[in-house]
Amino acid sequence: KPLVFSGVQPTGNLHLGNYLGAIRKFVALQANNDCIYCVVDMHALTAQLVHEDMPGQIRSITAAFLAAGIDPEKHIVFNQSAVPQHAELAWIFNCVARIGWMNRMTQFKDKAGKDREQASLGLYAYPSLMAADILVYRATHVPVGDDQKQHLELTRDIAMKFNMDYMEHIRRAGYGIDITVGDEPVHAYFPMVEPLIDGPAPRVMSLRDGTKKMSKSDASDLSRINLLDDEENISKKIRKAKTDPDGLPSEIAGLAGRPEADNLVGIYAALADKSKADVLAAFGGQQFSVFKPALVDLAVHVLSPITGEMRRLMADPGHIDTVLRDGSARARARAEVTMKQVRDIIGFIY
Ligand code: TYM
């Protein structure tokens, strides 16, 4: 079975972008894969060291995973800091990755802002920890939103350099796997991860500005639908969402140059498990005054059971902590298998 890994940071409210770009895909992938889903609490320190309620944030992401339909018994749900092997492998990857590679990361440039000298070293090394999250399980498939694409390319570069630099040691230790890179057969230790980004909403945009990503940090709450929003809020935000004066086109090509219309159609499609073409076949020629109420109904229909279940779960932190404790123990056992081999490949005496 393919091994799926993904993570979500415990910072701020989860929104529709996190749900459609990531969590909804996590749920669907459970049927045919072995899945590991992680609350990446160590990543949450990179931008802001001290958090108001770190345990509450970790529990809230865990609750969202469970409420959306992730099964923590068949699969693994845990928090990153409880499995120290992530940090151990990240250090090794810090020594594999080149500064030049890190300097190309657009997310670092965005998040560090103007005064880059004041950004934490952790923010700079962030993608190296992310590569370790995935590769400490030698996972092969990673469902994420479009904004994480560059980090996954870097993960492949790190894996490739490790495989090449330690090629002889990997062969001698007998831990290798045969993979193909391009058309070349390679004897490797770490697999080349495949990003799973496709779908109608790989990049959900702000409801106030179709050229900006929907994000936790946008000052305007009207720009996003939070997973904990109630029906009234969802309805208000969609009704107020920015649009242009034209109606909906009948074909995809008609969405070109209309980012807000494109975004709402993508959201509808993702929530309905349809393609954008299907949505336009149904709504083409209609005005937003017809489409928006239909989108409100659909969003409330899909999200409100999740919201309700999240609230119910969050009222019982003991249960969530049990899920995390059990998941962490299973994750640790698997991560330690990899780390024993990695220490051996490198030549550390342990
Ligand atoms: P994070 O916590 O910022 O976001 C969690 C997931 O939500 C996706 N996402 C979006 N998708 C579509 N439209 C949007 N507007 C939108 N905003 C966020 C993100 O792409 C992500 O999939 N670096 C990661 C966390 C991470 C990770 C990993 C992911 C750490 N280690 C290993 C995969 C594998 C992050 O900051 O996601």
Side-chain angles (χ1 to χ4, degrees), residues 68-132:
I70 292 170
D71 180 341
E73 288 175 14
K74 290 207 184 87
H75 302 275
I76 295 181
V77 171
F78 75 106
N79 60 311
Q80 185 186 35
S81 62
V83 182
Q85 286 84 353
H86 289 236
E88 186 183 359
L89 187 59
W91 176 258
I92 293 164
F93 286 172
N94 284 345
C95 301
V96 173
R98 307 288 95 182
I99 288 178
W101 303 358
M102 295 300 178
N103 286 341
R104 284 197 285 277
M105 295 295 113
T106 57
Q107 187 167 304
F108 173 73
K109 292 179 198 168
D110 292 346
K111 290 201 174 171
K114 283 200 191 72
D115 194 1
R116 212 175 283 179
E117 299 277 306
Q118 285 306 315
S120 73
L121 185 52
L123 187 66
Y124 194 54
Y126 178 118
S128 166
L129 177 59
M130 179 162 162

Side-chain angles (χ1 to χ4, degrees), residues 125-162:
Y126 178 118
S128 166
L129 177 59
M130 179 162 162
D133 295 337
I134 300 163
L135 293 176
V136 82
Y137 305 99
R138 296 165 95 185
T140 50
H141 293 79
V142 184
V144 284
D146 180 66
D147 60 333
Q148 297 300 317
K149 194 173 177 178
Q150 195 185 31
H151 290 156
L152 294 181
E153 283 160 10
L154 185 86
T155 300
R156 295 168 67 106
D157 291 340
I158 289 176
M160 186 58 123
K161 184 165 165 57
F162 182 96

Side-chain angles (χ1 to χ4, degrees), residues 203-207 209-214 223 259 263 267:
R203 190 176 187 83
V204 177
M205 308 308 275
S206 156
L207 299 180
D209 176 352
T211 64
K212 270 182 23 194
K213 194 177 70 165
M214 183 178 285
S223 72
N263 189 38
I267 290 172

Side-chain angles (χ1 to χ4, degrees), residues 6 15 44 55 85 91 94 97 103-104 134 144 152 171 187 199 206 225-226 240 245 254 258 268 279 282 315 340 342:
S6 198
H15 54 66
Q85 286 84 353
W91 176 258
N94 284 345
N103 286 341
R104 284 197 285 277
I134 300 163
V144 284
L152 294 181
R171 205 182 295 280
H187 192 66
S206 156
I225 293 173
N226 303 303
K240 292 197 169 195
R258 300 178 62 192
Y268 191 105
V279 176
K340 275 206 173 74
V342 168

